[in-house]
Amino acid sequence: PNMKDLMGARILTGLQPGDVEQLKNAMEEPDPPKALSIIQNAADSAAPVFQSPFDSIPVFAIAQMRVRKRNEMGQATGDAMLPMHLSTKTMSETWNQFVHSSPQFEDAEATLQLIELHKMIDMMQHESDFDFRNVVFVMPSYDKDDQNNELDDSDDDDSDNDGGGGDNGMAADY
């Protein structure tokens, strides 16, 4: 996960019951110092998870959202599934597409859900009230993030000497 998603997860775990309403009011007024204070307090009082990208992976979902596969003609088929996201950016993009195709949800307030990936996998291996067969993971769109374009971590042809094998790949002469 990127640092923005880790921070978002920390904030979500640190929000107290009344904080969401206060944050919403601070954003509508607008009162940036009050909003920043609520966010900072939530980040500071968060549970000791989502501290580094190596120990816990946040999985985000929106309770109201369901998606279905589309056939070649664009018609929805199959069971409705809950999309799970490893990125808040991808979750937001999927929510916007969902609202566009389901106008009845246009005024709905998204109910965010958050779980740590390892905990979710553990829950999948035991008896549960939740049917994990109706979940679909949506791949993050980190490669589309404008802020990451400056980093050359791709396998494009500009740095692999036309030898294949990606960046710093070895050429095979046949």
Side-chain angles (χ1 to χ4, degrees):
N2 67 23
M3 294 309 289
K4 190 183 329 182
D5 293 329
L6 286 173
M7 182 55 76
R10 285 185 60 205
I11 291 168
L12 284 173
T13 61
L15 286 174
Q16 300 302 313
D19 290 347
V20 174
E21 193 64 35
Q22 289 179 11
L23 183 58
K24 190 182 342 175
N25 291 340
M27 297 300 287
E28 289 172 356
E29 288 175 10
D31 187 351
K34 182 178 179 184
L36 183 61
S37 173
I38 294 168
I39 291 170
Q40 187 64 49
N41 287 339
D44 292 343
S45 64
V49 292
F50 308 122
Q51 300 289 331
S52 87
F54 305 108
D55 62 354
S56 52
I57 301 167
V59 178
F60 304 93
I62 296 177
Q64 297 91 332
M65 186 169 32
R66 296 292 184 274
V67 296
R68 293 172 46 185
K69 285 186 182 180
R70 297 203 179 271
N71 62 18
E72 297 84 31
M73 297 183 296
Q75 298 168 328
T77 61
D79 294 334
M81 304 187 83
L82 175 65
M84 300 289 226
H85 305 270
L86 301 174
S87 159
T88 54
K89 180 177 188 259
T90 307
M91 180 182 65
S92 176
E93 291 169 354
T94 305
W95 175 253
N96 290 335
Q97 291 172 0
F98 172 74
V99 169
H100 180 73
S101 65
S102 306
Q104 68 268 28
F105 288 97
E106 190 173 308
D107 295 327
E109 286 192 30
T111 304
L112 296 180
Q113 297 176 325
L114 172 67
I115 189 169
E116 199 276 325
L117 180 62
H118 297 99
K119 183 176 182 178
M120 182 178 175
I121 292 169
D122 186 53
M123 289 173 64
M124 289 177 172
Q125 296 172 358
H126 297 90
E127 190 74 25
S128 174
D129 292 335
F130 187 81
D131 187 0
F132 285 101
R133 294 173 295 181
N134 292 326
V135 166
V136 61
F137 278 90
V138 179
M139 294 302 296
S141 59
Y142 294 126
D143 58 337
K144 297 178 187 173
D145 191 354
D146 294 336
Q147 295 174 351
N148 286 339
N149 286 344
E150 295 176 6
L151 301 175
D152 185 20
D153 58 356
S154 68
D155 287 334
D156 56 10
D157 290 335
D158 67 348
S159 63
D160 66 2
N161 243 0
D162 295 320
D167 292 346
N168 303 314
M170 296 176 66
D173 294 326
Y174 294 102

